[in-house]
Amino acid sequence: LQGGPSGSKVKVCTFGKVQDAFFNFPNGVNLFLAPNGEITTTPPPTGFLLNIGHSMGAGAIFINFKDIINRR
């Protein structure tokens, strides 16, 4: 997983386990996509709600996108 400027090639994951020492979420918590594109444990209060998966403890997450919800 990585970010980059518009039009650049980046690595993505749409399903499965992703390991990265940067991940430090509590085990078993739901993960959401924040408005700025970051992964967070806090669902955004307005706008789009996208559950992207759950934490597997320090160093790992499991990506499993759920249906996106548009809260107006």
Side-chain angles (χ1 to χ4, degrees), residues 5-59:
S6 179
S8 66
K9 293 182 180 183
V10 296
K11 293 180 182 180
V12 299
C13 176
T14 58
F15 183 83
K17 183 178 181 179
V18 178
Q19 293 181 285
D20 189 314
F22 175 76
F23 298 139
N24 193 25
F25 303 108
N27 188 33
V29 299
N30 287 322
L31 300 173
F32 301 91
L33 188 63
N36 62 2
E38 292 185 5
I39 298 171
T40 179
T41 58
T42 306
T46 61
F48 293 101
L49 175 63
L50 179 58
N51 180 323
I52 64 164
H54 65 273
S55 172
M56 299 179 77

